[in-house]
Amino acid sequence: MASREGSSGLAESPQASVRERILLDQGWRFMKYASEKDADALIYDVRPEVGNHRDDRPADAKPTEAVAVESDTPVLKPWILPTANDFIKDPAKRFQRPSGDPGSDFPFVQTGFDDSDWETVRVPHDWAIEGPFMAGENAAVGGGMGRLPSPGVAWYRNKLDIPASDAGKFIFLDIDGAMSYAMVWLNGHLVGGWPYGYASWRLDITPFVVPGGENQLAIRLDNPPDSSRWYPGGGLYRNVWLTKTHPVHIGQWGTRVTTPQVSEAFARVHLAVSIDNDSDKDAAVTATTKLYALDTEGRKTGEAVARFEPLQVALTAGESAELESAVTIEKPRLWGPPPTQTPHRYVAVTTLEQNGQTLDRYETRFGIRELRFDAEQGVFVNGEPIYLQGANQHHDLGALGTAFNVRAAERQLEMLREMGANAIRIAHNPPAPELLELTDRMGFLVVNEIYDAWERKKTPLDFHLIFPDWHEPDLRAFIRRDRNHPSVIMWSVGNEVGEQYTDESGAAVALRLHEIAKQEDPTRPTAAAMNYAKPHMPLPGVMDTISLNYQGEGIRDAPAYAGLPGIRTAPLYPEFHKTFPDKLIFSSENAAAVSSRGEYLFPVTGEISAPVKDGDGGDPQSGQVSAYELYSTPFGSSADKVFGSLAKHPYVGGGFVWSGWDYLGEPTPYYSSRSSYFGVIDLAGFKKDRFYLYQSHWRPDLPMAHILPHWNWPERVGEVTPVHVFTSGDEAELFLNGESLGRRKKGEYKYRLRWDDVKYQPGELKVVAYKKGERWATASVRTTGAPAALEAEADRPVIRADGLDLAFVTVKVVDEDGLVVPRTHNDLTFTVEGPGELVATDNGDPTSMVSFASAERAAFNGLCLAIVRAKPGQAGEIKLTVSGEGLRETVIDIAAEG
Ligand code: GAL
């Protein structure tokens, strides 16, 4: 079964275009071997033995050399490599498929194999997210990879719907992402595959299909253990499509739109279209392209705003050609980031015709915008300087795992936007294609990044194993897929790679990647994030920009960091600026600050930034980290310190906090946990205090004030309990039970107001903030009563009944006055009635080992999250009931609309 897209909007052409794009979301059968030892021998390649299973290496540890493996074991790699051929420039380096058909006698690939006892799943599917979590020191998957069973070997099977009328068409399988080492059989024949789990790729299955027959697809995935520094997820975790075309058709990612001249009066739009004549006849075709404006939802509006002159080309059988032309649009509606600009978009609709018959029709969304990168003044979009207020984001969606969901990703971006973020760095691999649709639509600037490792390794079985064969095809495919997105402003070809440490030989690898990126897209600059390379080393000179992780603020460079082991540097912005006076410098990662929402530990450091230590910001017993938002990894800095150092170096174009949201895996500093402490927003999507620190700095015109900590400290009466305030004002007065504790002003390079000597008394803390002497904002925090009831609130009251849209319901434990009671961990039970289902629950506690699929979960510091979806095609009222012992239950209705 499948949902159909494409072939819509064909009203203009007399004959239907043959291009169809069919989503293969349903009908999948899935089986995962209990352990790697039980798996079949159809391996892509042999892998080195892993000696050291520890996954808590510090993030800034030096990557090491690859281990060579010699073996006579038969492997399938030679049959998979030819899939890369379209992305290898030098014809001499392309791969020949060997003879033979490995795996063709294996039962799972046979049409007749009975898979009825395999699990039925819907794709996108993350096979590991429901757990169980593996707790404890010697767990097979440790904290680094999120303690979830992502490693392993598994198979997916599905029947393709290819009617007899498809005879003569070209049929492609398009996979947006399969984690990982995918190998694909159709009707018992090995077609090809692609190892990198974050890549999008295509297989031409035409030679293997039987139009009108039964077409059995079988996909084998093999996710290595010890292959990632975070939770990679596992499975067909992004969309899978079947694309059907006429033999003469527009190529894969076959259009390239650029806007070489942009002004308010007019824009020049340049279009290149590549056409493949995969037929056995010569073809004389005409390509016509019209441009339409899109509305905010991405729908075409009105008449065409411009038309390209029709282009004619004669292609011999088997030939491909690229046609180029340009057109002018008067008074273009430019794409740019809010709040000062609007992300307007256009679509180019290209129609391919032969003798009046429509052969293909292809849509390319794009935006018209001009980017400029200035070494003194930063990034300019359409002539306006845009300071990068960015967040790094990993690909998981918290409790939903890595199975891509548009609404979940949109919610992440909406909250980052609310905080004031205008930019996203994709850490550290190609995102789902739909994520860039969202960033285009919402107007975020994106640093699009492809690799976390090159030839040298960070974990024993990471990307370095396939780098030699795949770096070129992966990089070319990545850029061709994403080059038309207006939100993408830069290609980052690596993050903190080991080649920073290997001088000229490392720089040679960097240069090769830089050159590939420039061949594919000369319009955008390159970057490679550096946490070690220094100005005098060869690597920084290679890229177009200087992308610094942590080095800009200085590493272990504040009083509280003295005496820590490890690399130490002064703030390196000035030295890089001096050495590379023509290159934009930006802070690709900063902060790596850590905290657990709602956990406050005493005493509180008097510094503006301090490394988290057991008993000093961190509690090894509870596995929690203080939310005073002053603590960081040893190599990181608090937000306050980052803001100060960016302000002191105004030529730096801004930066990206590590990280916007918490993510699965990498639970520095407590690897007994399962998810990170880095996020400004926790894994469930609840705001940590830090959210307001960023908001106060990034949205200076938004009147706001925020007080921390909560004010429920019965055991601290009379004890010093510091009170900190984040405000977009410049001054504030704090009151405890009506009595002033003094009015304080932000000093130079100071971003919070602190009253560090407050002695706790229950009651009310109130702050009145001022800006330029005028009253600006107020906030208060009260000591609450005992937990009495539950309250629930959905992010949206109405969702689509398509089985994909989601309602995120926040559940609060409140006292009789409706105040959220902090420090409560009541056990809650979730029940759904009506045409919906509970997808997952979470509470943002990094230490929790309760499966995300559980309908029972404790609140964490007063809050809990339920994620609900409507059953596909079933409109109606979904009723979610949340109950907990001793608490008045709450019922919330979510309307599902068809
Ligand atoms: C950086 C790394 C990130 C993350 C972060 C926090 O060094 O690039 O991927 O690991 O540290 O530990």
Side-chain angles (χ1 to χ4, degrees), residues 601-657:
L601 306 178
F602 302 93
V604 177
T605 176
E607 302 288 342
I608 64 154
S609 186
V612 63
K613 293 179 183 160
D614 289 351
D616 185 1
D619 178 353
Q621 247 68 53
S622 66
Q624 304 296 358
V625 177
S626 178
Y628 269 92
E629 310 295 17
L630 291 163
Y631 299 92
S632 78
T633 56
F635 59 83
S637 306
S638 69
D640 309 61
K641 187 177 162 224
V642 170
F643 295 158
S645 87
L646 285 170
K648 287 174 202 161
H649 303 99
Y651 47 83
V652 176
F656 296 79
V657 54

Coordinates of all heavy atoms in Angstrom, one line a residue, residues 601-657:
L601 N 21.3 23.0 42.5 CA 22.2 22.5 43.5 C 23.0 23.6 44.2 O 23.3 24.6 43.6 CB 23.2 21.5 42.8 CG 22.6 20.4 41.9 CD1 23.6 19.5 41.2 CD2 21.6 19.5 42.7
F602 N 23.3 23.4 45.4 CA 24.0 24.4 46.2 C 25.3 23.8 46.8 O 25.4 22.6 47.0 CB 23.1 24.8 47.4 CG 21.8 25.3 46.9 CD1 20.7 24.5 46.7 CD2 21.6 26.6 46.5 CE1 19.5 24.9 46.2 CE2 20.4 27.1 46.0 CZ 19.3 26.3 45.9
P603 N 26.3 24.6 47.1 CA 26.3 26.1 46.8 C 26.4 26.4 45.3 O 26.8 25.5 44.5 CB 27.6 26.5 47.5 CG 28.5 25.4 47.5 CD 27.6 24.2 47.6
V604 N 26.2 27.6 44.9 CA 26.2 28.0 43.5 C 27.5 28.8 43.3 O 27.9 29.6 44.1 CB 25.0 29.0 43.2 CG1 25.1 29.5 41.8 CG2 23.7 28.2 43.5
T605 N 28.2 28.5 42.2 CA 29.5 29.2 41.9 C 29.3 30.7 41.8 O 28.2 31.1 41.3 CB 30.1 28.6 40.6 OG1 31.3 29.4 40.3 CG2 29.2 28.8 39.4
G606 N 30.3 31.4 42.3 CA 30.2 32.9 42.2 C 30.7 33.4 40.8 O 30.6 34.5 40.5
E607 N 31.3 32.4 40.0 CA 31.9 32.8 38.7 C 30.7 33.0 37.7 O 29.6 32.5 37.9 CB 32.8 31.7 38.2 CG 34.0 31.4 39.2 CD 35.0 32.5 39.2 OE1 35.0 33.4 38.3 OE2 35.8 32.6 40.2
I608 N 31.1 33.5 36.5 CA 30.0 33.5 35.5 C 30.0 32.3 34.6 O 29.1 32.0 33.8 CB 30.2 34.8 34.5 CG1 31.5 34.7 33.8 CG2 30.0 36.1 35.3 CD1 31.4 35.5 32.4
S609 N 31.0 31.4 34.8 CA 31.1 30.2 34.1 C 32.0 29.2 34.9 O 33.1 29.7 35.3 CB 31.7 30.5 32.7 OG 31.7 29.3 31.9
A610 N 31.6 28.0 35.0 CA 32.4 27.0 35.7 C 32.3 25.6 35.2 O 31.2 25.3 34.7 CB 32.0 27.0 37.2
P611 N 33.3 24.8 35.3 CA 33.2 23.4 34.7 C 32.3 22.6 35.7 O 32.5 22.8 36.9 CB 34.6 22.9 34.7 CG 35.3 23.7 35.7 CD 34.7 25.1 35.8
V612 N 31.4 21.8 35.2 CA 30.6 21.0 36.1 C 31.5 19.9 36.7 O 32.4 19.3 36.1 CB 29.4 20.3 35.3 CG1 29.9 19.4 34.2 CG2 28.5 19.6 36.3
K613 N 31.3 19.8 38.1 CA 32.1 18.7 38.8 C 31.2 18.1 39.7 O 30.1 18.6 40.1 CB 33.3 19.4 39.6 CG 34.3 20.0 38.8 CD 35.4 20.6 39.7 CE 36.4 21.3 38.9 NZ 37.2 22.3 39.7
D614 N 31.5 16.8 40.2 CA 30.7 16.2 41.2 C 30.7 17.1 42.4 O 31.7 17.5 42.9 CB 31.3 14.8 41.5 CG 31.1 13.8 40.4 OD1 30.4 14.1 39.4 OD2 31.7 12.7 40.5
G615 N 29.5 17.4 42.9 CA 29.4 18.2 44.1 C 29.5 19.7 43.8 O 29.4 20.6 44.7
D616 N 29.8 20.1 42.6 CA 30.0 21.5 42.2 C 29.2 21.7 40.9 O 29.8 21.6 39.8 CB 31.4 21.9 42.1 CG 31.6 23.4 41.9 OD1 30.6 24.1 41.8 OD2 32.8 23.8 41.8
G617 N 27.9 21.8 41.0 CA 27.1 21.9 39.7 C 26.6 20.6 39.3 O 25.6 20.5 38.6
G618 N 27.2 19.5 39.7 CA 26.7 18.2 39.3 C 26.5 17.2 40.5 O 27.2 17.3 41.5
D619 N 25.5 16.4 40.5 CA 25.2 15.4 41.5 C 25.3 14.0 41.0 O 24.4 13.6 40.3 CB 23.8 15.7 42.1 CG 23.5 14.7 43.2 OD1 24.2 13.8 43.4 OD2 22.4 14.9 43.8
P620 N 26.4 13.3 41.2 CA 26.6 12.0 40.6 C 25.5 11.0 41.1 O 25.2 10.0 40.4 CB 28.0 11.6 41.1 CG 28.3 12.5 42.2 CD 27.5 13.7 42.1
Q621 N 25.0 11.2 42.3 CA 24.0 10.3 42.9 C 22.7 10.4 42.1 O 22.2 9.4 41.6 CB 23.6 10.7 44.3 CG 24.1 9.7 45.4 CD 25.6 9.6 45.4 OE1 26.2 10.7 45.6 NE2 26.1 8.5 45.3
S622 N 22.2 11.6 41.9 CA 20.9 11.7 41.1 C 21.2 11.8 39.6 O 20.2 11.6 38.9 CB 20.2 13.0 41.6 OG 21.0 14.1 41.2
G623 N 22.4 12.0 39.2 CA 22.7 12.1 37.8 C 22.2 13.4 37.2 O 22.0 13.6 36.0
Q624 N 22.0 14.4 38.1 CA 21.4 15.7 37.6 C 22.5 16.8 37.7 O 23.4 16.7 38.5 CB 20.2 16.1 38.4 CG 19.1 15.0 38.4 CD 18.5 14.8 37.0 OE1 18.9 15.4 36.0 NE2 17.6 13.8 36.9
V625 N 22.2 17.8 36.9 CA 23.2 19.0 36.8 C 22.4 20.3 37.1 O 21.3 20.4 36.6 CB 23.8 19.0 35.4 CG1 24.7 20.3 35.3 CG2 24.6 17.8 35.1
S626 N 23.0 21.2 37.8 CA 22.3 22.4 38.3 C 21.8 23.3 37.2 O 22.5 23.5 36.2 CB 23.3 23.2 39.1 OG 22.6 24.4 39.5
A627 N 20.6 23.7 37.4 CA 19.9 24.6 36.4 C 20.2 26.1 36.7 O 19.5 27.0 36.2 CB 18.4 24.3 36.3
Y628 N 21.2 26.4 37.5 CA 21.6 27.8 37.6 C 22.2 28.3 36.3 O 22.4 29.5 36.2 CB 22.5 28.1 38.8 CG 21.7 28.4 40.1 CD1 21.4 27.4 41.0 CD2 21.4 29.7 40.4 CE1 20.6 27.6 42.1 CE2 20.7 30.0 41.6 CZ 20.3 29.0 42.4 OH 19.6 29.2 43.5
E629 N 22.5 27.4 35.4 CA 22.9 27.8 34.1 C 24.2 28.5 34.1 O 24.5 29.5 33.4 CB 21.8 28.6 33.3 CG 20.4 28.0 33.4 CD 20.3 26.7 32.6 OE1 21.3 26.0 32.3 OE2 19.1 26.3 32.4
L630 N 25.1 28.0 34.9 CA 26.5 28.6 35.0 C 27.6 27.5 34.7 O 28.7 27.8 34.6 CB 26.8 29.1 36.4 CG 25.9 30.3 36.8 CD1 25.9 30.5 38.3 CD2 26.5 31.6 36.1
Y631 N 27.1 26.3 34.5 CA 28.1 25.2 34.4 C 28.2 24.6 33.0 O 27.2 24.6 32.2 CB 27.7 24.0 35.3 CG 27.6 24.5 36.8 CD1 26.5 25.0 37.3 CD2 28.8 24.5 37.5 CE1 26.4 25.5 38.6 CE2 28.8 24.9 38.8 CZ 27.6 25.4 39.4 OH 27.6 25.9 40.7
S632 N 29.4 24.2 32.6 CA 29.7 23.7 31.3 C 30.6 22.5 31.3 O 31.1 22.1 32.4 CB 30.3 24.8 30.4 OG 31.7 24.9 30.8
T633 N 30.8 21.9 30.2 CA 31.9 20.8 30.0 C 33.2 21.5 30.3 O 33.3 22.8 30.2 CB 31.9 20.3 28.6 OG1 32.1 21.4 27.7 CG2 30.7 19.6 28.2
P634 N 34.3 20.8 30.5 CA 35.6 21.4 30.8 C 36.0 22.3 29.6 O 36.7 23.3 29.8 CB 36.5 20.2 31.0 CG 35.6 19.1 31.3 CD 34.3 19.3 30.7
F635 N 35.6 21.9 28.4 CA 36.1 22.7 27.2 C 35.1 23.8 26.9 O 35.4 24.6 26.0 CB 36.4 21.8 26.0 CG 35.2 21.0 25.5 CD1 34.2 21.6 24.7 CD2 35.0 19.7 26.0 CE1 33.1 20.9 24.3 CE2 33.9 19.0 25.6 CZ 32.9 19.6 24.7
G636 N 34.0 23.9 27.6 CA 32.9 24.8 27.2 C 32.9 26.0 28.0 O 33.8 26.3 28.8
S637 N 31.8 26.8 27.9 CA 31.6 28.0 28.7 C 30.1 28.2 28.9 O 29.3 27.7 28.1 CB 32.0 29.2 27.8 OG 33.3 29.1 27.4
S638 N 29.7 28.9 29.9 CA 28.3 29.3 30.1 C 27.9 30.2 29.0 O 28.7 30.8 28.3 CB 28.1 30.0 31.5 OG 28.7 31.3 31.4
A639 N 26.5 30.3 28.9 CA 26.0 31.3 27.9 C 26.5 32.7 28.2 O 26.9 33.4 27.2 CB 24.5 31.2 27.9
D640 N 26.6 33.1 29.5 CA 27.1 34.4 29.8 C 28.4 34.7 29.2 O 28.7 35.7 28.7 CB 27.1 34.6 31.3 CG 25.9 34.1 32.0 OD1 25.5 33.0 31.9 OD2 25.2 35.0 32.7
K641 N 29.3 33.7 29.4 CA 30.7 33.9 28.9 C 30.7 34.0 27.4 O 31.5 34.8 26.8 CB 31.6 32.7 29.4 CG 33.0 33.0 29.2 CD 33.9 31.9 29.7 CE 35.3 32.0 29.0 NZ 35.8 30.7 28.6
V642 N 29.9 33.1 26.8 CA 29.9 33.1 25.3 C 29.4 34.5 24.8 O 29.9 35.1 23.9 CB 28.9 32.0 24.8 CG1 28.6 32.2 23.3 CG2 29.5 30.7 25.1
F643 N 28.3 35.0 25.4 CA 27.8 36.3 25.0 C 28.8 37.4 25.1 O 29.0 38.2 24.2 CB 26.6 36.7 25.8 CG 25.3 35.8 25.7 CD1 24.4 35.8 26.7 CD2 25.1 35.1 24.6 CE1 23.2 35.0 26.6 CE2 24.0 34.2 24.4 CZ 23.0 34.2 25.5
G644 N 29.5 37.4 26.2 CA 30.6 38.4 26.4 C 31.7 38.3 25.4 O 32.1 39.3 24.8
S645 N 32.1 37.1 25.1 CA 33.3 37.0 24.2 C 32.8 37.3 22.8 O 33.6 37.9 22.0 CB 34.0 35.6 24.3 OG 33.4 34.7 23.5
L646 N 31.6 37.0 22.4 CA 31.1 37.4 21.0 C 31.0 38.9 21.0 O 31.4 39.5 20.0 CB 29.8 36.7 20.7 CG 29.9 35.2 20.3 CD1 28.5 34.6 20.2 CD2 30.6 35.0 19.0
A647 N 30.5 39.5 22.0 CA 30.4 41.0 22.0 C 31.7 41.7 21.9 O 31.8 42.8 21.3 CB 29.6 41.4 23.3
K648 N 32.7 41.1 22.5 CA 34.1 41.7 22.5 C 34.8 41.6 21.1 O 35.8 42.2 20.9 CB 35.0 41.1 23.6 CG 34.6 41.5 25.0 CD 35.4 40.7 26.0 CE 34.7 40.7 27.3 NZ 35.1 39.7 28.2
H649 N 34.2 40.7 20.3 CA 34.8 40.5 19.0 C 33.8 40.7 17.9 O 33.3 39.8 17.3 CB 35.4 39.1 18.9 CG 36.4 38.8 20.0 ND1 36.1 38.1 21.1 CD2 37.7 39.2 20.1 CE1 37.2 38.1 21.9 NE2 38.2 38.7 21.3
P650 N 33.4 42.0 17.6 CA 32.3 42.3 16.8 C 32.4 41.8 15.3 O 31.4 41.7 14.6 CB 32.1 43.8 16.9 CG 33.4 44.3 17.4 CD 34.1 43.2 18.2
Y651 N 33.6 41.5 14.9 CA 33.7 41.0 13.5 C 33.3 39.6 13.3 O 33.1 39.1 12.2 CB 35.2 41.1 13.0 CG 36.2 40.6 14.0 CD1 36.5 39.2 14.1 CD2 36.8 41.5 14.9 CE1 37.4 38.8 15.0 CE2 37.7 41.0 15.9 CZ 38.0 39.6 15.9 OH 38.9 39.1 16.8
V652 N 33.1 38.9 14.5 CA 32.6 37.5 14.4 C 31.1 37.5 14.0 O 30.4 38.3 14.6 CB 32.8 36.8 15.8 CG1 32.2 35.4 15.7 CG2 34.3 36.8 16.1
G653 N 30.7 36.7 13.1 CA 29.4 36.8 12.5 C 28.3 36.2 13.4 O 27.2 36.0 12.9
G654 N 28.6 35.8 14.6 CA 27.6 35.2 15.5 C 28.0 33.8 15.7 O 29.1 33.3 15.4
G655 N 27.0 33.0 16.2 CA 27.4 31.6 16.5 C 26.2 30.7 16.8 O 25.0 31.1 16.7
F656 N 26.5 29.5 17.1 CA 25.6 28.4 17.3 C 25.8 27.8 18.7 O 26.9 27.2 18.9 CB 25.7 27.4 16.2 CG 25.4 27.9 14.8 CD1 26.3 28.6 14.1 CD2 24.1 27.7 14.2 CE1 26.0 29.1 12.9 CE2 23.9 28.2 13.0 CZ 24.8 28.9 12.3
V657 N 24.8 27.8 19.5 CA 24.9 27.2 20.8 C 24.9 25.7 20.7 O 24.1 25.1 19.9 CB 23.8 27.7 21.8 CG1 22.4 27.4 21.2 CG2 23.9 27.0 23.1

